[in-house]
Amino acid sequence: MADSLVSIIIPVFNRAHLISQTLDAVLHQSYKHWECIVVDDGSLDNTTSIVKAYCDKDDRFKLKIRSKELEKGGNVCRNLGFKLSEGAYIQWLDSDDLLGVNKLKLQVEALQKEIDTSIAICKFGYFTDSKDLSIRYKVKTYKDYRKGLYLLKAFGNHAEFFPPHVFLTKRHVAENAGLWDENLEINQDGEYFTRVLLEASKVKFVDANVYYRKSTNDNVSLVSSPRKAQSLINCWKLINNHITEFTGKKTHIYVETAKSTIYKQIKDSYPEIVEKNKSFFNSNSTSMFNRIFNIK
């Protein structure tokens, strides 16, 4: 049974008001052979007591509290959870998001059926509470891919993305990709899954669902300061380096599309960051730099 164990890894910080929804969705999975490792990042509310209650009810839940000797941060907790995990499959899950009931079952079946397939993906949607679930259906990247690199290309071509819990990844792919970058503070998942997809062989699309919580209050992905704007640019420089090392090409549609999106996000609020990073927005393969800076 060890070769079918799914390790669900959840970093958590001050989610007492939300974590039960996330853990209930794990508990109700139709696929039963899983472990759920919740790594607490030093919560100041009663998050840990809530998680402990789940551990007491079901020994598949495991709570680890980050040592004070380690740096604080979601990626530190993710890496700690991965090191503690034993599953043949890795399921990353944020502490406020939800898995559909058949998500693990259908994806494990797909990965076991096709031994040359590295990753399974699925549909995703948004919600504001557990009674308001919706799925995005008109997503052009819902399909199979012969290589993980081709999914990155599709993301660029269609200006789309997947949240982390869409993926179920074979352990050896995650091991080869390496740990989460603990120095990044924005778009950590984009950088991490770039490395994962570059390591991946076939990607299998499965008709299952996950749900991504929409929030305007505590979304760490919001570009809310010059520091975060610069951090986002630095992250995409790193992503570009990963793809360049893998393909030998200096530019890629995935990164080029991101450049345009970032520029639109920050041009009005942080023009000084745009000016500072002109070389980033310049492209050797397209005329994007001329377009976005209105140069004729």
Side-chain angles (χ1 to χ4, degrees):
M1 291 291 286
D3 62 354
S4 62
L5 179 67
V6 175
S7 293
I8 305 166
I9 302 169
I10 305 176
V12 65
F13 177 71
N14 286 353
R15 293 292 197 182
H17 59 304
L18 298 175
I19 189 64
S20 290
Q21 284 182 292
T22 300
L23 298 185
D24 283 344
V26 171
L27 191 60
H28 296 146
Q29 287 294 297
S30 58
Y31 187 80
K32 302 302 182 184
H33 193 43
W34 50 262
E35 61 173 359
C36 182
I37 302 170
V38 182
V39 184
D40 190 276
D41 198 24
S43 293
L44 303 175
D45 59 7
N46 64 330
T47 294
T48 54
S49 63
I50 293 173
V51 177
K52 284 179 181 178
Y54 281 84
C55 295
D56 291 341
K57 289 190 301 182
D58 192 319
D59 62 9
R60 292 176 296 177
F61 288 105
K62 303 171 184 178
L63 173 64
K64 177 68 176 181
I65 298 175
R66 173 188 53 80
S67 168
K68 292 182 179 180
E69 298 175 355
L70 297 176
E71 292 290 331
K72 181 176 175 58
N75 285 354
V76 172
C77 292
R78 291 181 180 96
N79 289 338
L80 180 56
F82 182 71
K83 292 172 184 177
L84 294 172
S85 69
E86 299 180 351
Y89 305 98
I90 304 299
Q91 173 66 65
W92 301 105
L93 181 60
D94 286 348
S95 58
D96 57 345
D97 293 335
L98 305 176
L99 302 179
V101 66
N102 291 319
K103 198 271 187 186
L104 297 182
K105 177 179 183 294
L106 295 177
Q107 288 190 326
V108 169
E109 288 175 352
L111 292 176
Q112 290 180 333
K113 183 177 180 180
E114 300 185 24
I115 59 173
D116 60 341
T117 300
S118 297
I119 293 176
I121 57 177
C122 67
K123 298 175 183 175
F124 76 98
Y126 297 108
F127 76 107
T128 53
D129 61 59
S130 61
K131 297 179 181 179
D132 184 25
L133 304 176
S134 63
I135 289 294
R136 296 185 66 194
Y137 289 103
K138 295 181 180 180
V139 177
K140 294 180 180 178
T141 44
Y142 287 166
K143 56 185 291 187
D144 297 343
Y145 297 89
R146 289 187 292 114
K147 294 181 180 179
L149 177 64
Y150 296 163
L151 176 52
L152 292 175
K153 182 178 180 180
F155 284 156
N157 283 332
H158 303 299
E160 294 178 352
F161 80 105
F162 287 154
H165 53 319
V166 160
F167 299 94
L168 184 69
T169 307
K170 287 186 176 178
R171 186 180 194 87
H172 73 88
V173 177
E175 290 174 336
N176 291 341
L179 297 173
W180 290 70
D181 190 326
E182 296 177 1
N183 296 314
L184 296 177
E185 58 181 304
I186 191 168
N187 196 41
Q188 303 99 316
D189 55 328
E191 188 275 334
Y192 174 78
F193 279 102
T194 294
R195 288 187 277 118
V196 169
L197 288 171
L198 291 176
E199 290 289 338
S201 54
K202 290 183 180 178
V203 179
K204 183 68 176 178
F205 173 71
V206 171
D207 190 13
N209 303 331
V210 298
Y211 304 93
Y212 181 86
R213 184 182 294 273
K214 294 181 70 173
S215 172
T216 58
N217 297 322
D218 56 354
N219 190 342
V220 296
S221 67
L222 292 176
V223 185
S224 56
S225 68
R227 179 177 55 81
K228 279 200 169 185
Q230 184 61 60
S231 181
L232 181 60
I233 291 171
N234 292 343
C235 180
W236 278 98
K237 288 179 180 178
L238 190 57
I239 289 171
N240 190 68
N241 289 341
H242 296 329
I243 298 176
T244 296
E245 290 178 4
F246 186 85
T247 65
K249 298 179 180 180
K250 292 184 178 181
T251 61
H252 189 273
I253 187 62
Y254 181 47
V255 180
E256 297 304 307
T257 299
K259 290 179 182 181
S260 180
T261 301
I262 294 167
Y263 175 76
K264 293 174 184 176
Q265 281 183 288
I266 72 173
K267 64 182 179 67
D268 294 327
S269 299
Y270 312 114
E272 72 281 6
I273 301 297
V274 173
E275 179 69 22
K276 181 180 177 181
N277 291 276
K278 280 187 176 181
S279 60
F280 167 76
F281 292 108
N282 191 13
S283 171
N284 295 324
S285 64
T286 73
S287 59
M288 184 198 329
F289 181 77
N290 290 342
R291 294 199 309 273
I292 64 180
F293 285 99
N294 296 316
I295 298 174
K296 298 182 179 179

